[in-house]
Amino acid sequence: MKSLLNFLVIVGMLLSLLGAEAVSADGFSCSSVTDVPVVECEALVALYNSTNGAGWTNRTNWLETVTVGNWYGITVESGHVVGIYLGENHLTGTLPAALGSLSNLRYLNLFNNQLSGSIPPELGSLSNLTFLYLFDNQLSGSIPAALGNLNSLKHLWLSNNQLSGEVPGTLMNLTSLTELDLDYNRLTVPGDYPNPSNPLHVFLSQKAANWHLHQAVSQQIAPDSGGTITSRDGAVQVQVPKDALDDTVTFTFIPQAQPSQSSGELAFANQSFQLIAENSSGSRVRVFNKPLTVTINYNEADLGGASEDDLRLFYWDEESSAWKDAATTCTPPSIYRRNLEENRFSVDICHLTEFGVFVSPQVKVYLPLVRR
């Protein structure tokens, strides 16, 4: 799949570099465009303006030529925009509703940018859309029910965002869909999932078998009882002891496919997450009366030949902009407790932030790259 994405990006680049008639960017008007309808040009201009086009990595010919087919990442066929290939191009901002006017669009590839805000329901009017790639952004809000109108859609990739709420039942209308990726969001997982008598559950289990294992988990914990937060895949447990809190606190465990920060010389062992605690007023809780215990269950296949004794839980230290051993969040540093037979280790922590499991830096190994 990644080879296909790379191919599509290259196609967009080559098409944009073909001959073009230059005009002034300051005086650009869609009324002067010669190869697509004005309304389609205006939709592209709206995308440019709402995602800080001036700051894109590549914006060759955008708002500079009267043929939008020469704009970087845009494909035009038979007088209409049919493809937008702007993945990994540093788009920041929100998606404009005007994209819904691109009625002939077949490919919308905006993956791996910094897009935020909600997914416009107007995208549901793109009846010819075949590929919708919005993964690896910071999109939030719910999945629009209107996406269920995309009868031609084959690939819907929304993973690695901050989407929340229930998965709309209208997605069952996507009869052409072959690939669905909803992993690593904050979507609601029904308590009885997967229920074989629920048509939506059956659809999701067929199209995105493990989507429910990679969603965020929130849990309220009272000070007089303590409690345990467990990731949906069971790989991580966070134990909050009794009397560690002064008030009832909501803990949120957010799984990540990859750490958000570069791991440098550390070898990532395929487990990363954020851990957040908030009190009843919504303020972050950062200090606890007692250490919390994190237990990591791992797969030896993720070690790449490294010793299990070299696995460590690291946290991202914002002050030094570096990964540090999570044991050092406590004073004195906590001790790792390992059960090698059952492939797990535990360590006490005293500060919440982003975490990742890595092989200790003194051991250099080459771990397999896994996209979950």
Side-chain angles (χ1 to χ4, degrees), residues 115-119 137-143 161-164 185:
L115 297 172
S116 57
S118 60
I119 300 174
N137 281 288
Q138 291 97 48
L139 296 170
S140 58
S142 60
I143 299 174
N161 280 290
Q162 300 169 16
L163 299 172
S164 59
N185 279 291

Side-chain angles (χ1 to χ4, degrees), residues 297-341:
N297 298 275
Y298 55 88
N299 189 328
E300 289 189 52
D302 294 335
L303 302 184
S307 170
E308 296 174 67
D309 289 320
D310 295 318
L311 277 182
R312 299 283 190 278
L313 181 67
F314 283 74
Y315 78 101
W316 180 253
D317 181 46
E318 295 182 355
E319 291 186 2
S320 62
S321 295
W323 289 102
K324 295 185 177 180
D325 195 322
T328 63
T329 59
C330 298
T331 304
S334 54
I335 305 293
Y336 280 86
R337 302 175 295 281
R338 301 182 183 275
N339 186 325
L340 302 183
E341 291 185 359

Side-chain angles (χ1 to χ4, degrees), residues 11 32 105 115 123 168 195-196 250 261 268 285-286 297 311 348:
V11 168
S32 63
L105 193 68
L115 297 172
L123 295 186
N195 184 343
T250 298
Q261 308 293 334
F268 179 52
V285 178
R286 304 182 186 278
N297 298 275
L311 277 182
D348 293 340

Side-chain angles (χ1 to χ4, degrees), residues 142-283:
S142 60
I143 299 174
L147 295 188
N149 298 329
L150 302 175
N151 295 327
S152 299
L153 197 65
K154 295 182 178 180
H155 293 184
L156 176 58
W157 284 24
L158 304 177
S159 58
N160 297 326
N161 280 290
Q162 300 169 16
L163 299 172
S164 59
E166 297 182 354
V167 178
T170 54
L171 294 189
M172 291 188 294
N173 298 331
L174 303 177
T175 55
S176 299
L177 196 68
T178 59
E179 293 192 14
L180 175 64
D181 192 348
L182 304 175
D183 289 1
Y184 300 103
N185 279 291
R186 305 178 186 185
L187 297 169
T188 300
V189 179
D192 62 343
Y193 187 88
N195 184 343
S197 63
N198 185 309
L200 178 58
H201 292 193
V202 173
F203 172 84
L204 291 173
S205 63
Q206 292 173 344
K207 302 296 184 179
N210 295 321
W211 75 276
H212 61 297
L213 300 180
H214 304 136
Q215 304 300 322
V217 177
S218 291
Q219 182 175 330
Q220 281 192 340
I221 295 181
D224 58 349
S225 60
T228 301
I229 305 99
T230 302
S231 63
R232 295 192 182 277
D233 64 359
V236 181
Q237 294 89 37
V238 181
Q239 183 178 4
V240 182
K242 179 181 177 181
D243 298 328
L245 310 172
D246 292 325
D247 196 0
T248 297
V249 170
T250 298
F251 286 83
T252 302
F253 175 93
I254 305 172
Q256 301 179 149
Q258 298 282 341
S260 66
Q261 308 293 334
S262 172
S263 58
E265 295 184 356
L266 295 171
F268 179 52
N270 294 322
Q271 186 60 256
S272 178
F273 57 90
Q274 295 183 46
L275 194 56
I276 298 171
E278 297 178 330
N279 60 23
S280 57
S281 64
S283 299

